[in-house]
Amino acid sequence: MAAEKATTKGVQRMSTSTTTATGRAGVYESLGLTRVVNADARLTKLGGSLMPPEVIAAMLDAASGYVDMYAFQERAGARLAELTRNEAAFISAGAAAGLVISTLACMVGTDLVALSRLMEHGEARKDEVIIHTAHRIPYDPAIRAAGARPVNVGNALQTFDWELEAAITERTAMILWVAGDHLRRGALPLEETVRIAHARGVPVVVDAAAQLPPVESLWRFTREQGADLAVFSGGKDLRGPQASGLVVGRAALIDACRMQGSPNQRLARPMKAGKEEMAGLLAAVERYLTLDHAAIIAESERVIAGWVAAFDGLPGITARRDFPNEAGQPTPRCLLLVDPAAAGIDAAGLRRRLFAGDPPVAAGEGSVPNSVALSPDTLEGADPAIVTRAILAALGR
Ligand SMILES: *Cc1c(COP(=O)(O)O)cnc(C)c1O
């Protein structure tokens, strides 16, 4: 934890020194943009996450040398498989790209004739992806991007095992199962989905993009719950490069991912992970496995307790700890319940005022109506105090 804190502060000093402290213009400033203090979440629209020095160093190192990219993808994959206790691993250009490539892998496997048919004619014998209606999320167009058709099973509130049995046909390429406590309701549990799918020879792919923490997710879905592949974002809690993702699972399907992907000029070629992303992701996973995750959560709890003490009881404001977070992860955040009449502003207005501030502070939409969520995970160094001052100012204190 001491090391994690030190590196965290190092990043903060770096970012401050390019902005307020010296006034030296960085790339954002040179374009008239302002650095945002992100108390919302690891959102792509805000830049996702910040890379720690080890990750930046690995990317710099990779950027300074040519390498056999086939061999690099294979060796890095073997190392990632070992680190994550999986049979095999593949580095993609983000989790969404990992979903496209996993779908392609399940559609044609390593059959070059089937791949050729798909490339030339857009046809595959297996071109349907079953997804629980309760699991439909804004990232599932990845299925269409691979040329497959999503087939809903169940409804938003419930799914029965016989409904999944009935949905499986000769055309079923895979079942996409989306992980997260917030999506549990209405879908069959993963183990039951796997049991039904495997009885019919159908692979199960887990979208686990935002399921870190807990670190155990890296092997739980595949090694313990039997899924064939699990897909993670490199640029969320792993704090690897934004355009990196990790696909782990069965060797035959990972071979199929590699067959589709760069440097091969096949269907996944437009979603290239470069040598810098690959090196950065590997460094990020290595680092993530050495972190004291309990200490990181304890630090989050300390920040949240400070926010609750600062905000609870202000006119129109009730502050409390919220758990789990918006992605169903076992990590706490702070919820501000806003009574617009007493506070003089509603939750949406408060978030807008924070984002219009100097520096802009991004706060999340809370899980209950008229609430604002604050997350400590994305903050660095002095940021929690900046957030406190910004909220007090936005409330006219
Ligand atoms: C973030 C996210 C993705 C996309 O991940 P990228 O790494 O940004 O491509 C996909 N699925 C879920 C559930 C996500 O939360």
Side-chain angles (χ1 to χ4, degrees), residues 17 63 81 83 91 94 120 133 147 168 177 179 210 233 244 255 278 319 381:
S17 70
L83 287 166
I91 300 168
E120 293 304 319
T133 301
I168 296 175
W177 197 91
S233 283
S244 72
D255 284 347
M278 287 167 51

Side-chain angles (χ1 to χ4, degrees), residues 42 44 93-99 137 139 178-179 182-183 207-211 232-236 242 244-245 327:
R42 300 203 190 274
T44 294
L99 293 176
I137 55 163
Y139 296 99
V178 185
H182 58 315
L183 297 171
D207 177 354
Q211 297 309 307
F232 300 91
S233 283
K236 289 180 181 165
Q242 268 305 285
S244 72

Side-chain angles (χ1 to χ4, degrees), residues 26-43:
V27 62
Y28 302 143
E29 292 74 21
S30 76
L31 294 170
L33 298 165
T34 314
R35 280 163 206 255
V36 173
V37 173
N38 176 12
D40 190 340
R42 300 203 190 274
L43 301 174

